[in-house]
Amino acid sequence: MGIVTPGFRGRPRPSGPELPPGQYLTEDFPVLSAGPTPRVPMDRWEFVITTETSREHRWSWTDLMALPSDTPTVDIHCVTKWSKLGTTWQGVSLDTLMSDVDTAADYALVHSYGGYTTNLPLSDLLDGRAWVAYRFDGDDLHPEHGGPARLLVPHLYFWKSAKWVRGIQLRFDDEPGFWESAGYHDYGDPWREQRYQGD
Amino acid sequence: MPEQLDLGPHLDGNALAGPLREIFAVDVTAATSRCAACGQAGALAGLHVYASAPGMVARCPSCEEVVLRMVRTPDAAWLDLRGAVALRIPM
Ligand SMILES: [Zn+2]
């Protein structure tokens, strides 16, 4: 996963072993939306990590742009069954954002502008596996794909990669988010096909 | 809501008719719901429905908060009505 085979991009191919079970390959980038697209003025945009002791760590857009960024190339898998391989992003690693955050929490509840939430274990946000991404395919991230910035956690189903991310609340308990409280899986590993509660 | 909104692609509440008929024997889109966030009451058919998503999300046309969410899994339907104070279903 996350490894691009040179030369195959753009060439139609049937589902192969690089796709998780039940997924099909798509070349375009479907837009999924559970509500209106929030437009946040950049001078008011902020990203906030809140610890279990209510300590807040804040970044303005200028702060975020000043941090070192990564350019990951990753495969993404939507629970509605499309997968897109070899997508290229730019963003700040959660390892960077968490480096000064003192926490004993095990779980994270991600919050978005517009009210969306999603939950996952904090460890899945660390070790180079998650980013606050603000560029896709060489361009600024379009609002319909979650711009100005979205979470990118490509090893889990893409509903965990919250669009329009505004913050992360660190918690001792695994509070179900927007889809997780309505039947979707709390973890959502595409390789184990964890789509729904009980999978 | 503090942010400026671009409503984006959505349907009206009549899109709920088929999926809800699976659960309720009557056509629930004629029912009246009251939004738990702003108190606005209106027919389910008047909600803004976002269906290009892992489930269906019906939002209040007045404040855009979620009134109803529905997820269909292979063996169950999940209906989350926490955004509605009540449904009045004509009988
Ligand atoms: Zn309302």
Side-chain angles (χ1 to χ4, degrees), chain A residues 32-34 37 39 178 181 184, chain B residues 4 6 52 54 59 69 82:
Chain A
L32 268 68
S33 188
T37 301
R39 307 276 177 169
F178 187 91
S181 61
Y184 280 94
Chain B
Q4 273 185 281
D6 160 12
S52 300
R59 292 177 177 268
R69 287 179 296 164
R82 84 182 84 167

Side-chain angles (χ1 to χ4, degrees), chain B residues 35-40 60-65 67:
Chain B
C35 171
C38 76
Q40 168 107 345
C60 171
S62 173
C63 73
E64 293 300 331
E65 286 296 316
V67 174

Side-chain angles (χ1 to χ4, degrees), chain A residues 2-199:
Chain A
I3 295 164
V4 177
T5 308
F8 86 83
R9 285 183 71 193
R11 194 185 307 162
R13 52 158 43 197
S15 350
E18 72 275 11
L19 289 183
Q23 297 292 111
Y24 68 87
L25 187 63
T26 185
E27 297 293 336
D28 56 10
F29 194 170
V31 174
L32 268 68
S33 188
T37 301
R39 307 276 177 169
V40 190
M42 300 310 277
D43 59 352
R44 285 173 46 203
W45 185 94
E46 63 174 3
F47 179 77
V48 184
I49 294 177
T50 308
T51 71
E52 68 278 14
T53 58
S54 299
R55 172 108 200 267
E56 293 184 337
H57 301 255
R58 294 175 180 273
W59 292 265
S60 68
W61 188 257
T62 309
D63 295 336
L64 188 77
M65 292 301 109
L67 293 174
S69 65
D70 296 340
T71 52
T73 297
V74 295
D75 302 339
I76 56 179
H77 310 291
C78 179
V79 75
T80 61
K81 300 197 172 179
W82 57 264
S83 289
K84 187 172 172 61
L85 305 185
T87 60
T88 57
W89 302 81
Q90 183 178 351
V92 176
S93 167
L94 261 294
D95 295 313
T96 302
L97 295 163
M98 286 290 297
S99 61
D100 290 330
V101 176
D102 185 22
T103 182
D106 292 319
Y107 297 99
L109 183 62
V110 182
H111 293 262
S112 293
Y113 291 96
Y116 182 78
T117 55
T118 188
N119 55 299
L120 68 171
L122 175 57
S123 57
D124 285 83
L125 291 174
L126 303 175
D127 296 326
R129 294 196 292 169
W131 297 265
V132 171
Y134 49 82
R135 287 176 72 81
F136 168 73
D137 201 17
D139 285 316
D140 290 344
L141 185 58
H142 193 277
E144 71 181 10
H145 287 305
R150 75 180 297 160
L151 190 66
L152 177 64
V153 197
H155 70 283
L156 301 177
Y157 279 125
F158 211 45
W159 89 77
K160 302 284 185 182
S161 293
K163 300 204 271 190
W164 314 303
V165 69
R166 81 181 299 172
I168 295 175
Q169 185 190 358
L170 304 175
R171 306 174 58 93
F172 289 122
D173 61 330
D174 195 13
E175 168 81 15
F178 187 91
W179 289 119
E180 294 85 354
S181 61
Y184 280 94
H185 201 277
D186 279 319
Y187 187 60
D189 180 352
W191 297 93
R192 289 187 278 167
E193 209 168 358
Q194 294 172 331
R195 298 179 194 275
Y196 305 110
Q197 294 284 336
D199 283 352

